[in-house]
Amino acid sequence: MQVVPFSPDQASTFASDVDGLYGFLWTLTVVLGGVLTLLILYFAVKYRRRDPDEIPRPVAASHRLEAIWVGVPFVLAMGIFVWGTSLYVRMYRPPDEAIDVYVVAKQWMWKMQHLDGHREINELHVPVGRRVKLTMTTEDTIHSFYVPAFRTKMDVVPGKYSTMWFEPKRAGRYHLFCAEYCGTSHSGMIGWIDVMEAPEYQAWLSGGAAEGSLATSGQKLFEQLACITCHKSDGSGRGPALEGVFGKTVQLSDGQKVVADEGYIRESILTPRAKVVAGYQPIMPTFQGQISEEQLLQLVAYVRSLSGQQSQQQSQQQSPTVQPQVTPRGAGSQTNANRQSK
Ligand code: CUA
């Protein structure tokens, strides 16, 4: 006989916090519901009409009683609000340093792309105890990336990047579901998150991935699409140089400022005239319909690789030595760039 567990494994750092809040709400609901029901029954019996001619006695108002029944629920409600909000903010604000994975959803599968070029379908390998950030988009309709054991879920919406993050706490294999009805085979749009111990993860990383890193593919595309004729690295082109741009605040021609994140780069490729960098003309053509979501992610990864990790990446490419196996948290993006040399 198979036992259905009351709740999924607590496999991420969010899990016990989410369960704590949920448990509190659940307990509060049961206790309040129980107390109110008992009070209703008790009062119904105690203050029942005993005589057909009975005249009710006037009841004097009690300010103290009123203050209690306004005050206690107020404190409870605000407490839940603050508790829930702080948890939400923590869960939905990705850390600066994390292992980056790009996810493209489509009817009806999940395509995962690691920065080093590893690709997976309906399966995601991550190391235990490291933060993982997913940047996700979809080729068709809305989907939702849901890992119950991590207690986290994020909608994947057409035309934009959604992000989510988690830190797996225990090695194991955990269900991935699509949690947004997306057509006939929605229920089959499922997969696994494989959380591995660091040595196994490194072994997994060192196998396969013959295609080269995402950024290398992006670089090829950058040349193929002739982006390079305008975006010259010395800044003499008709478009801005892209070196060092990623993650920085960019001054726009309309006086506004924008942070050059994945979403901005994506928008600049698909709708180049929406946010033009100050000092440049809106002459870039759109690439809407000419490149796939996966190619867009390659370009994003390439532009990203032009910031900061460039010199290290090149020095690594010249030395065919073994890469550092386990890097501390905070060195995630460098590690990913280093892996290019494989
Ligand atoms: Cu994808 Cu439901």
Side-chain angles (χ1 to χ4, degrees), residues 230-241 243 280:
C230 291
H231 294 284
K232 292 186 178 151
S233 55
D234 60 0
S236 68
R238 289 184 293 170
E243 278 73 10
Y280 291 91

Side-chain angles (χ1 to χ4, degrees), residues 24 28 67-83:
F24 179 78
L28 188 71
I68 289 172
W69 78 50
V70 171
V72 171
F74 178 76
V75 169
L76 277 175
M78 291 314 285
I80 295 166
F81 170 68
V82 171
W83 188 354

Side-chain angles (χ1 to χ4, degrees), residues 23 30 104 149 167 213 259 299:
V30 170
V104 178
E167 183 180 329
S213 75
V259 174
L299 285 173

Side-chain angles (χ1 to χ4, degrees), residues 22 44 58 100 138 144 147 197 203 216 223 230 249 303 311 319 333:
Y22 181 72
D100 275 279
T138 156
S144 186
V147 187
E197 299 291 351
T216 317
E223 285 156 17
C230 291
T249 304
V303 173
S311 54
S319 63
S333 42

Side-chain angles (χ1 to χ4, degrees), residues 35-85:
V35 166
L36 286 177
T37 309
L38 289 178
L39 277 178
I40 288 169
L41 292 174
Y42 173 71
F43 288 148
V45 173
K46 181 167 188 215
Y47 298 108
R48 71 186 184 278
R49 193 191 228 189
R50 288 154 206 266
D51 173 14
D53 301 322
E54 187 176 325
I55 297 166
R57 280 159 297 163
V59 179
S62 161
H63 289 298
R64 225 178 83 192
L65 199 59
E66 269 188 56
I68 289 172
W69 78 50
V70 171
V72 171
F74 178 76
V75 169
L76 277 175
M78 291 314 285
I80 295 166
F81 170 68
V82 171
W83 188 354
T85 307

